[in-house]
Amino acid sequence: MIRVLIADDHPVVRQGLRTFLDLQDDITVVGEAADGAQAVELVGELTPDVLLLDLKMPVLDGLGALERLAGSATRVVVLTSVSDRSDVGPAMRAGAAGFLYKDVDPSALVQAVRAVHNGQVLLAPEAAEAMLSAPAPAAAVPGPAPLTEREREVLALIAAGRSNREIARSLAVAEKTVKTHVSNVLMKLGVQDRTQAALYAVRHGLA
């Protein structure tokens, strides 16, 4: 069962999301927050698997909440009505695992919750376009050990949520070879696991 916390300052939005998500056999809403500070507090108390987080909230906004949740095991999906694409990069760099807009189809939102819970990174098409079109910060370039072309391909497939077996099939190489490439990617990027590598790829335009 995927445990979800909803953070939005509009009660009607929270109720609508709760009603729909609770209809799913594998999802349960464990709590609601009306502002960013309450969201941070409830994440600590309830340890949800996924947090649906609005950006524009009183007391503490979504970006502030993301910064305070750095290091948390809870996966955060930004769910906002704000159309300003400049919010996408800061949200992803602050630790969001997904970025969606409130006009998302309900079934797509459910799939997003499941995907993010499974370790994938998910962006609305507009958000992905904003990430890819934005200039990458200097820190995005791997330093003394840049990725090879094949390692970049592997990283992009990791960001797409592919398993080692699926990557091997896609690149027509042995699964053992993929494991070696994945290990090299993690080492060069200085990250600990595939999820962090996928976040790195999305945040820095390598996906």
Side-chain angles (χ1 to χ4, degrees):
M1 187 68 72
I2 304 172
R3 303 171 70 254
V4 175
L5 173 67
I6 300 169
D8 195 292
D9 59 332
H10 293 94
V12 173
V13 173
R14 296 199 305 272
Q15 183 59 49
L17 289 171
R18 173 186 280 275
T19 300
F20 181 74
L21 292 174
D22 276 340
L23 291 174
Q24 312 307 312
D25 293 336
D26 58 341
I27 297 175
T28 182
V29 176
V30 296
E32 300 178 18
D35 58 63
Q38 188 179 22
V40 173
E41 180 180 352
L42 289 178
V43 166
E45 293 178 3
L46 303 174
T47 60
D49 299 307
V50 176
L51 166 63
L52 295 180
L53 180 70
D54 191 14
L55 284 183
K56 304 302 180 184
M57 292 185 293
V59 184
L60 181 69
D61 65 13
L63 287 178
L66 275 167
E67 291 169 358
R68 294 192 186 182
L69 290 171
S72 169
T74 296
R75 307 270 289 163
V76 181
V77 176
V78 169
L79 185 61
T80 182
S81 59
V82 178
S83 59
D84 187 352
R85 294 188 176 189
S86 64
D87 287 326
V88 181
M92 298 305 293
R93 286 191 290 273
F99 196 105
L100 300 173
Y101 296 99
K102 288 181 180 177
D103 60 358
V104 64
D105 185 81
S107 61
L109 175 61
V110 170
Q111 293 301 321
V113 169
R114 292 170 178 153
V116 167
H117 177 251
N118 288 331
Q120 298 180 36
V121 177
L122 195 143
L123 296 167
E126 302 89 343
E129 182 181 345
M131 285 291 296
L132 293 174
S133 62
V141 181
L147 300 181
T148 65
E149 186 63 32
R150 179 45 60 92
E151 287 166 353
R152 281 176 171 264
E153 292 175 344
V154 169
L155 177 59
L157 291 169
I158 290 174
R162 304 286 183 84
S163 66
N164 283 355
R165 179 172 296 180
E166 291 170 330
I167 294 174
R169 289 175 180 171
S170 178
L171 300 180
V173 299
E175 190 172 346
K176 184 177 180 180
T177 301
V178 172
K179 290 180 180 179
T180 300
H181 285 317
V182 171
S183 296
N184 290 339
V185 168
L186 298 184
M187 179 184 66
K188 289 182 177 182
L189 296 184
V191 297
Q192 298 179 347
D193 55 39
R194 298 168 73 95
T195 298
Q196 292 181 2
L199 286 171
Y200 184 101
V202 172
R203 292 170 189 162
H204 299 109
L206 299 175

